[in-house]
Amino acid sequence: MNWQYKPSLLALSVILLSACASQPTHNERVAELETVPSAWQQLPSSDKALAVEDNWLQQLHDPQVFTLVEQALAHNQAILQAGYDVAIKEQQLIAAGADLWPSLDLSTRASRSKDNRPVSYNNASSASLELSYEVDLWGKLSASERQANLEYLAEKATFAQSKQQLVADVVAGWFDVITNHKLLELYKQREQNAEKNLDIIESGYRQGLNEALDVYLARNELNTERSNIAAQQATLTKSIRDLERLTGQYPTGALSVSADLPLLDSAIPLGLPSELITRKPELMASWYQLLSTDAGLAYAHKQRFPSLNLSASISDGTDRVSDLFSPSSLAWSLLGSISMPIFEGGRLKANEEQARLNVKRQEQAYLATLYDAFNDVETAISQEQALKVRYEKTLEAQENAITAEALAFEQYQSGLVTYTTVLDAQDRSFNAQSSVIELKNQLIINRINLHIALGGDFSEANSEVAEQ
């Protein structure tokens, strides 16, 4: 390089570095993103914002659900795919980081030829060792590695969220099986009551105490209950198969679940909205993805800068392989080159603009994920409050309906009311009893959804790994 070109190259470097420094920083770009309320809107004024607790799965105290969760984490095909996605991103990160290191290549060649005039044989062997290195003058390669690293972190956070959701789905599926089993028992109990009522009504009809219409209504009620049992049995089998598929097993429908529906009436620590940003894996994944697109913008911008490449090679050629790399015959070369795009038809500028728009788009995607997360928590809190009120009122309605059902049948036997009044009382009693079962399940499912919405992990061990 001639010294007369150094002032112009220095001036060019200053201009390019100034252009790079004028790029808006990421903190300036997303300074207004985190508009977070100080407390949950649906949080009762008497409740304190205690820190969210992990290890919520242990609150169930049932070995079977623990076993099902372990099977799902080990054999569920979707979660295994997500784990492989993390491993792929890790290898992509290693590949991106390799660009920051020099590359060393060894090539050898051996040939043998024959000349017929006169007959002679020629041997030729050659070997070369080449070292090449691109100087990361503007941080272009570092930006590429940073982008790959952030994509890897985003994939890990997505994997953590997928595991939490899988555990929630398994627990919810387990309680769905219990709920459907409870409803099936209720249907069978109603069938027994219908059979008993039919026997009493037919006996009274033979004695001339009841009308034929009552007999037909009682028979219709019994057939309806048997039809409901068949339908509920199919629903129960389907819920069992769904649970078996979540655990990665063949859906035989033969899983046996024997447990009761607990009433989860204890308060759950809700924490602060600001804590949700760094606790929930889904939000962390979206944040890492935003930082990744920002690193992609830096990489696209620095593609317009000059590239400085250094290369060195050692080579030798001889007619015998044993003489290769002899000190007296080695040839070497050193080469430094600078290349800079001058005219690309607007391609590099368009790539940078595309990367900038991608950052803007990802900012909105992060905002949408953030406010959706807040909405999930607020909705789950208000839903739990409403479900508790509904459960208490339905529990009272169940007691009244059961009493009314028994009283209606006694009055029917005394001739005070018609059998349609008995059927109406029985329907009200059944609706109240089935509603109590379903509301208990809804309270449990909503509690599980609230744990997931708050970013609470299902075990302390997984929480510690996620923090690391």
Side-chain angles (χ1 to χ4, degrees):
M1 178 182 298
N2 295 328
W3 288 100
Q4 59 182 347
Y5 295 114
K6 283 192 174 183
S8 11
L9 285 176
L10 180 60
L12 179 62
S13 301
V14 171
I15 293 173
L16 292 176
L17 286 174
S18 300
C20 180
S22 65
Q23 287 291 98
T25 63
H26 179 267
N27 292 334
E28 295 173 351
R29 189 177 290 110
V30 296
E32 300 179 358
L33 284 183
E34 299 178 8
T35 306
V36 181
S38 58
W40 300 111
Q41 299 298 316
Q42 297 295 331
L43 180 66
S45 57
S46 59
D47 293 348
K48 295 182 179 180
L50 302 178
V52 176
E53 296 180 355
D54 293 318
N55 203 21
W56 60 265
L57 183 61
Q58 298 298 322
Q59 300 175 10
L60 301 179
H61 305 292
D62 194 293
Q64 185 181 29
V65 71
F66 299 156
T67 301
L68 292 173
V69 167
E70 291 177 357
Q71 291 177 353
L73 292 174
H75 303 292
N76 181 272
Q77 288 79 19
I79 204 67
L80 292 178
Q81 292 179 49
Y84 288 127
D85 290 338
V86 174
I88 291 172
K89 287 294 183 182
E90 183 178 9
Q91 297 305 314
Q92 291 176 354
L93 172 60
I94 295 175
D99 293 337
L100 292 169
W101 295 86
S103 62
L104 183 63
D105 299 321
L106 173 65
S107 61
T108 60
R109 180 180 179 183
S111 63
R112 180 177 175 84
S113 61
K114 176 183 178 182
D115 191 353
N116 291 327
R117 297 182 181 179
V119 177
S120 60
Y121 295 91
N122 298 317
N123 298 323
S125 299
S126 62
S128 62
L129 191 64
E130 297 183 359
L131 178 69
S132 59
Y133 177 63
E134 180 178 355
V135 181
D136 195 18
L137 193 60
W138 318 108
K140 176 177 63 176
L141 300 179
S142 300
S144 177
E145 184 195 25
R146 182 170 183 267
Q147 183 179 15
N149 184 46
L150 290 168
E151 289 179 353
Y152 169 64
L153 294 176
E155 196 66 42
K156 285 184 65 177
T158 301
F159 180 56
Q161 184 68 51
S162 299
K163 289 200 299 182
Q164 290 190 15
Q165 189 60 53
L166 175 61
V167 173
D169 292 342
V170 170
V171 176
W174 186 67
F175 280 115
D176 282 341
V177 172
I178 298 174
T179 300
N180 289 323
H181 185 69
K182 294 293 182 182
L183 291 175
L184 180 60
E185 291 178 348
L186 181 60
Y187 278 118
K188 290 181 178 180
Q189 180 182 354
R190 281 179 57 85
E191 180 194 22
Q192 294 175 359
N193 293 339
E195 289 178 346
K196 180 180 178 181
N197 293 343
L198 179 59
D199 291 338
I200 295 174
I201 292 172
E202 285 181 341
S203 176
Y205 174 73
R206 287 190 295 267
Q207 298 174 16
L209 301 177
N210 299 326
E211 299 179 357
L213 176 61
D214 296 342
V215 176
Y216 289 122
L217 289 176
R219 289 175 179 176
N220 179 72
E221 181 69 13
L222 177 59
N223 291 328
T224 301
E225 295 304 329
R226 287 173 176 172
S227 175
N228 292 336
I229 288 175
Q232 185 61 32
Q233 183 64 59
T235 302
L236 173 60
T237 303
K238 181 182 182 301
S239 62
I240 292 176
R241 287 197 173 103
D242 293 340
L243 179 58
E244 288 172 338
R245 282 299 298 121
L246 286 173
T247 60
Q249 307 300 321
Y250 184 86
T252 61
L255 179 65
S256 177
V257 176
S258 58
D260 200 357
L261 288 174
L263 181 61
L264 303 179
D265 54 356
S266 60
I268 175 175
L270 300 175
L272 297 175
S274 58
E275 298 173 350
L276 189 65
I277 298 175
T278 56
R279 185 176 59 243
K280 190 172 183 180
E282 182 182 14
L283 288 177
M284 294 302 299
S286 182
W287 177 252
Y288 285 136
Q289 195 60 47
L290 175 57
L291 296 180
S292 174
T293 56
D294 187 73
L297 173 59
Y299 178 78
H301 178 69
K302 293 171 183 179
Q303 285 289 95
R304 307 170 71 177
F305 297 170
S307 297
L308 175 60
N309 294 278
L310 303 176
S311 63
S313 65
I314 300 176
S315 61
D316 191 11
T318 181
D319 57 354
R320 292 196 307 174
V321 177
S322 59
D323 294 337
L324 286 175
F325 291 111
S326 175
S328 60
S329 60
L330 285 178
W332 58 272
S333 66
L334 296 174
L335 177 63
S337 63
I338 297 179
S339 61
M340 178 177 180
I342 301 298
F343 178 74
E344 293 284 345
R347 179 177 60 87
L348 296 179
K349 182 179 180 181
N351 289 342
E352 182 179 356
E353 179 63 16
Q354 179 181 352
R356 187 187 68 83
L357 295 174
N358 194 25
V359 171
K360 294 294 184 182
R361 178 183 178 279
Q362 191 61 37
E363 287 176 359
Q364 299 305 314
Y366 173 73
L367 272 178
T369 306
L370 180 64
Y371 287 115
D372 286 344
F374 291 151
N375 179 65
D376 291 341
V377 176
E378 297 284 5
T379 301
I381 295 174
S382 59
Q383 187 73 6
E384 179 166 341
Q385 296 170 357
L387 286 172
K388 286 182 177 179
V389 175
R390 289 179 57 193
Y391 178 77
E392 293 174 358
K393 299 305 178 182
T394 306
L395 197 60
E396 296 177 2
Q398 174 186 254
E399 297 176 358
N400 296 329
I402 292 176
T403 303
E405 179 185 6
L407 183 60
F409 194 77
E410 291 176 0
Q411 291 182 351
Y412 167 74
Q413 289 181 308
S414 301
L416 300 177
V417 296
T418 62
Y419 192 66
T420 54
T421 303
V422 176
L423 293 177
D424 182 64
Q426 289 177 348
D427 289 339
R428 292 177 184 273
S429 175
F430 170 74
N431 292 334
Q433 293 178 69
S434 60
S435 295
V436 168
I437 296 174
E438 292 172 349
L439 282 172
K440 288 181 72 175
N441 185 46
Q442 291 178 24
L443 277 166
I444 295 171
I445 301 302
N446 186 76
R447 177 61 65 93
I448 295 172
N449 293 335
L450 182 55
H451 279 297
I452 298 301
L454 290 171
D457 210 331
F458 56 91
S459 68
E460 294 180 355
N462 285 287
S463 178
E464 293 174 359
V465 171
E467 291 178 357
Q468 292 175 3

